[in-house]
Amino acid sequence: MRRRIQNLKAIWLASAAAMAIPAGPALAQTADSSKPAEIEEVIVTGIRQSIANAIETKRDADVIMDTISAEDIGKLPDQNISETLSRIPGVQISRVEGEGTAINVRGIDLNRLELNGKSFVGSAPNGDPATSDISPEMLSSVEIIKSPSADLTEGWLGAIVNLKTKRPLDLNRGVFSFRAQGAHADKADKLGGKASAFWADNFFDGKLGLLVGVTGNRFYGRTDQYSSGGWTQTSAIDVTGDGVADPNLFRPNRLQTWGVTRKDERWALNGTLQWRPIEPLTITLDGLKSKKTVDRTRFVEQVILNNNYSNAHALADGTIDRGAVSGVTLRPLIYDGDSEASTQAVNFTAEYKTAKWKLSVDASDSSGDGEGADGNDPTNPGYAGVDGVLVARQIAGGVVNTTYDTNGGAFSPNYQVSTNFNRLDPSQYEIFTIVDSQYQTHNKGRDVAFDATYYFDFGLFTSIKVAGARREQTSVTTGGASIDRSEERRVGKECMPVCR
């Protein structure tokens, strides 16, 4: 639809321009029509240029890599970086509550995330930035480096994911961009939205550049699901109607329905200051701050089953797929499952580049704090948030019976509950237990590095790179346990071959 509108606009402008040409110049133009028109330069912009830039970056790279390039701010149309990375071959993501979260590269989740090539520590339990907390609007491109080289920091098996922001001195003129979108959650029946703004400009004849970007969103969601809570093997239920219990049967532990409502709020601010006092020297300072909060409430109704079955039916494998159960326990639960995550990072780069030399000094400081499970725990996949759980059950004298059928009716499973009390009256329940769980992370890291590259022309080799001292320190604290990882190394020289 957008391309169709652009084509219509182009046709309309061409027609208007043709009608605006006076008769005199038109005759002169006809007289000179034998001369071919000279076109000095054709500039292609838009998504096609973005694809071309990504292909060129991949072709010229010295390692195996893929990239997504967003030529204009906001062209990465996903909710977070995880969903953006899923567009790259070899990258898989897991989803929690319908939103992309953790990433795997070629089936491996041991990956390193960087911001503009610098160390980037976030709020995830392993110290990485939670990619679901970062909005794609603040990025110009994302690189996935799948093969190692001597100048790259080790500590990963899958890939290095390099998140790159825009540079104001790379722009020819001032730029301002604003984008807004809305989304209606049909199950939650609420309207959410997302907005982002971006401004950049150069000053003092291109010697000073400033960039500021901000993005924020608020979305709503609801999830409904059913769970049996596992199965119990029993030999105390009669399914044949002969009055004798049948052996090796399997019944559900419970009939359990979940209703989860959530409100997801996220905002991020990033800025870049660049100074080029002389042509070979460029000094860059980057800053990023992001925060995500999720208000999440789980409402659960559990019908705890027993062996008091009547009219039971079993499948050929012994699974009881329907029946009536008397004297069961009705147990409502309320989970307060909020979560929160914040990430901040500051990067400094000084680069001096001539025709023969490139010298660079890099330093970074980043940290992340989180509260709430991220849903990627293999022992409890898909479970997110911090839980304050209140568990209730019917008071003494309350009688609850149920019938269920996992194969019949408009809903599956189809079950009904009958009681001798008002199920909606809180006074008919007692507090059974209260559980409070905390999942907290506090991570921080910093690094500094010096690199020197000398360019020459010697057969297949065009440069030699010598990395000086490089130090990186990371502290990861999860659930009270703290791990400090520090590294100091001196990398040898590396020659970069180029295919000719």
Side-chain angles (χ1 to χ4, degrees):
M1 178 62 72
R2 180 180 297 176
R3 179 175 295 180
R4 183 182 302 173
I5 294 175
Q6 291 175 345
N7 291 340
L8 291 176
K9 286 183 178 179
I11 295 173
W12 181 83
L13 291 174
S15 301
M19 290 186 292
I21 297 176
L27 292 175
Q29 185 180 17
T30 303
D32 297 336
S33 60
S34 59
K35 297 181 179 180
E38 295 183 0
I39 301 177
E40 296 181 356
E41 184 179 12
V42 176
I43 300 176
V44 180
T45 61
I47 188 65
R48 182 174 297 180
Q49 183 64 34
S50 299
I51 297 174
N53 290 344
I55 294 175
E56 182 178 0
T57 300
K58 184 175 180 178
R59 181 177 57 243
D60 295 341
D62 300 310
V63 295
I64 299 175
M65 65 175 296
D66 285 289
T67 181
I68 292 181
S69 175
E71 185 65 18
D72 297 325
I73 197 71
K75 281 188 178 177
L76 296 173
D78 303 295
Q79 294 299 102
N80 56 56
I81 298 301
S82 292
E83 297 182 356
T84 299
L85 295 175
S86 66
R87 302 172 180 273
I88 296 179
V91 178
Q92 306 84 35
I93 66 173
S94 56
R95 291 186 177 271
V96 176
E97 297 173 337
E99 184 177 347
T101 55
I103 64 170
N104 291 333
V105 180
R106 294 178 292 186
I108 301 174
D109 60 356
L110 299 176
N111 306 299
R112 175 181 172 88
L113 271 75
E114 298 181 343
L115 180 64
N116 293 317
K118 318 296 189 305
S119 176
F120 189 21
V121 173
S123 61
N126 63 350
D128 289 338
T131 53
S132 59
D133 299 343
I134 304 175
S135 298
E137 281 81 6
M138 64 177 59
L139 303 178
S140 64
S141 64
V142 182
E143 296 177 344
I144 303 290
I145 303 173
K146 301 179 180 179
S147 64
S149 61
D151 62 331
L152 297 177
T153 304
E154 64 269 12
W156 51 277
L157 293 178
I160 290 181
V161 180
N162 185 22
L163 312 177
K164 302 181 69 174
T165 60
K166 280 186 174 293
R167 293 287 182 255
L169 291 185
D170 294 339
L171 303 174
N172 296 325
R173 55 187 175 85
V175 174
F176 175 78
S177 172
F178 176 78
R179 177 188 180 192
Q181 69 182 70
H184 180 263
D186 53 352
K187 294 187 69 65
D189 195 21
K190 289 187 177 181
L191 180 64
K194 181 178 185 179
S196 62
F198 162 78
W199 172 82
D201 207 347
N202 298 332
F203 308 93
F204 306 111
D205 298 326
K207 294 184 179 296
L208 183 69
L210 180 63
L211 178 150
V212 177
V214 61
T215 180
N217 66 44
R218 175 184 292 176
F219 292 108
Y220 299 89
R222 177 183 174 92
T223 304
D224 296 293
Q225 64 186 62
Y226 165 82
S227 171
S228 68
W231 296 78
T232 295
Q233 186 175 11
T234 178
S235 298
I237 300 176
D238 176 20
V239 297
T240 58
D242 57 2
V244 179
D246 298 297
N248 300 325
L249 299 175
F250 297 88
R251 66 164 177 84
N253 289 334
R254 64 193 65 170
L255 306 174
Q256 181 173 266
T257 56
W258 293 68
V260 183
T261 61
R262 67 184 185 277
K263 180 177 71 172
D264 185 332
E265 293 183 324
R266 182 182 313 161
W267 64 268
L269 175 68
N270 71 299
T272 299
L273 177 66
Q274 282 192 297
W275 181 39
R276 189 173 290 158
I278 56 177
E279 187 61 31
L281 177 63
T282 302
I283 299 174
T284 304
L285 182 66
D286 292 307
L288 179 147
K289 171 71 175 179
S290 68
K291 186 174 183 178
K292 175 185 176 181
T293 59
V294 180
D295 295 332
R296 182 186 294 105
T297 303
R298 299 181 178 93
F299 301 95
V300 184
E301 182 185 69
Q302 294 179 346
V303 180
I304 310 299
L305 302 180
N306 52 42
N307 291 330
N308 298 329
Y309 271 75
S310 61
N311 299 322
H313 177 270
L315 302 176
D317 59 1
T319 302
I320 302 177
D321 61 340
R322 66 176 182 263
V325 191
S326 60
V328 299
T329 301
L330 183 61
R331 198 165 69 176
L333 298 85
I334 298 178
Y335 291 70
D336 182 15
D338 297 346
S339 58
E340 182 177 304
S342 63
T343 302
Q344 43 275 330
V346 177
N347 294 338
F348 171 82
T349 300
E351 182 180 275
Y352 183 84
K353 185 175 182 180
T354 64
K356 290 292 185 180
W357 285 97
K358 184 174 78 170
L359 309 176
S360 63
V361 176
D362 302 295
S364 72
D365 187 286
S366 56
S367 63
D369 298 280
E371 184 173 359
D374 59 5
N376 297 307
D377 185 351
T379 62
N380 197 4
Y383 198 81
V386 174
D387 278 335
V389 187
L390 185 149
V391 184
R393 64 183 178 185
Q394 79 258 30
I395 60 177
V399 178
V400 182
N401 302 316
T402 185
T403 60
Y404 73 92
D405 186 349
T406 59
N407 294 318
F411 301 95
S412 181
N414 180 21
Y415 72 94
Q416 294 82 32
V417 175
S418 61
T419 66
N420 66 346
F421 59 91
N422 183 3
R423 292 172 57 191
L424 303 181
D425 184 0
S427 65
Q428 300 300 310
Y429 298 90
E430 61 181 3
I431 302 301
F432 177 63
T433 185
I434 296 177
V435 180
D436 189 12
S437 302
Q438 296 290 325
Y439 308 86
Q440 295 182 337
T441 59
H442 178 67
N443 311 320
K444 56 184 178 180
R446 58 179 59 93
D447 71 344
V448 62
F450 168 75
D451 297 296
T453 304
Y454 178 71
Y455 298 96
F456 59 93
D457 190 359
F458 183 74
L460 293 177
F461 300 97
T462 61
S463 66
I464 182 171
K465 184 175 183 178
V466 180
R470 181 184 305 270
R471 179 174 177 82
E472 178 177 341
Q473 182 176 3
T474 304
S475 173
V476 178
T477 304
T478 302
S482 180
I483 301 174
D484 282 325
R485 299 193 301 264
S486 61
E487 176 186 21
E488 185 172 1
R489 63 192 180 96
R490 184 174 297 273
V491 180
K493 55 187 178 181
E494 176 190 20
C495 295
M496 297 294 185
V498 175
C499 297
R500 297 181 179 275

